[in-house]
């Protein structure tokens, strides 16, 4: 067998995490969730839209009973976080007494998840954890937001692919790459 050749798209300056590494990490996290939530029937809530590819890959390896739902929230006005989360689409399920796992593509400032977690505490969830594909801890403003399950820690770079976008583009890349500066400086 030869060395796998990975095609890189023009929009990225380098590939940070390959598709194979993402798939392997999803298996690892899915197995851990299976062991830790056996008999608890967790409700996994994906935050639209970026979490969709990660969510789909992750649940293939969750072997205990689980439920899934999706939420669309926005805490940004232009490029600045307002600190107030607007719910564009809420979940359908009743949360009270349930074990919630929020599934995110990336945690940066933590403002979005901090607001949602406070909301779900009011809704009387039995437990709340965060599962994120990527964590950028250098950007954290809400220090209390600590993902229990994290795929990869990365430096403070703007990344795209596997759900992550820049102006709604590049979510379909199979890997995570660093966006070329010339694209966002245009
Ligand atoms: P925060 O943790 O409240 O700052 O929000 C995280 C959200 O910011 C993610 O769900 C993304 O939509 C967006 N985001 C942060 N960093 C990046 C990045 O490097 N690439 C793409 N989106 C990002």
């Amino acid at each position: 067998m030869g060395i796998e050749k990975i095609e890189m798209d023009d929009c990225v300056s380098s590939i940070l995490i390959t598709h194979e590494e993402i798939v392997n990490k999803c298996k690892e996290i899915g197995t851990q969730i299976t062991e830790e939530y056996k008999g608890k029937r967790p409700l996994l809530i994906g935050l639209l839209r970026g979490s969709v590819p990660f969510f789909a890959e992750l649940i293939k390896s969750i072997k205990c009973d689980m439920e899934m739902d999706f939420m669309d929230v926005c805490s940004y006005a232009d490029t600045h976080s307002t600190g107030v989360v607007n719910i564009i689409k809420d979940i359908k399920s009743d949360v009270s007494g349930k074990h919630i796992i929020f599934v995110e593509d990336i945690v940066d400032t933590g403002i979005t998840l901090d607001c949602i977690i406070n909301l779900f505490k009011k809704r009387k969830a039995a437990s709340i954890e965060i599962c994120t594909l990527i964590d950028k801890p250098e950007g954290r403003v809400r220090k209390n937001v600590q993902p229990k399950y994290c795929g990869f820690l990365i430096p403070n770079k703007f990344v795209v692919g596997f759900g992550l976008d820049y102006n709604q583009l590049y979510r379909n890349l199979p890997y995570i790459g660093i966006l070329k500066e010339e694209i966002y400086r245009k």
Side-chain angles (χ1 to χ4, degrees), residues 75-76 104-113 136 157-160 164-165:
S75 65
Y76 287 81
E104 247 299 30
D105 51 357
I106 190 164
V107 181
D108 185 16
T109 63
I111 290 172
T112 311
L113 275 165
K136 286 205 288 199
K157 300 270 183 202
F158 197 86
V159 290
V160 291
L164 288 151
D165 75 305

Side-chain angles (χ1 to χ4, degrees), residues 2 54 56 68 93 120 123 132 140 163-164 175:
F54 175 46
M68 59 189 259
S93 340
F120 275 67
R123 291 181 178 179
T132 187
R140 194 75 89 257
L164 288 151
Y175 53 78

Side-chain angles (χ1 to χ4, degrees), residues 44-48 51 55 69-72 101-104:
L44 274 75
I45 302 177
L47 299 180
L48 294 170
S51 72
F55 196 105
D69 211 331
F70 292 92
M71 239 179 137
D72 194 0
I101 304 175
F102 285 111
V103 180
E104 247 299 30

Side-chain angles (χ1 to χ4, degrees), residues 8 10 18 28 57 60 91 102 125 141 145 154 160-161 163 175:
M8 195 164 86
D10 276 350
T18 66
E28 220 177 90
E57 193 59 48
K60 289 185 202 168
I91 58 163
F102 285 111
V141 173
V145 174
I154 66 161
V160 291
Y175 53 78

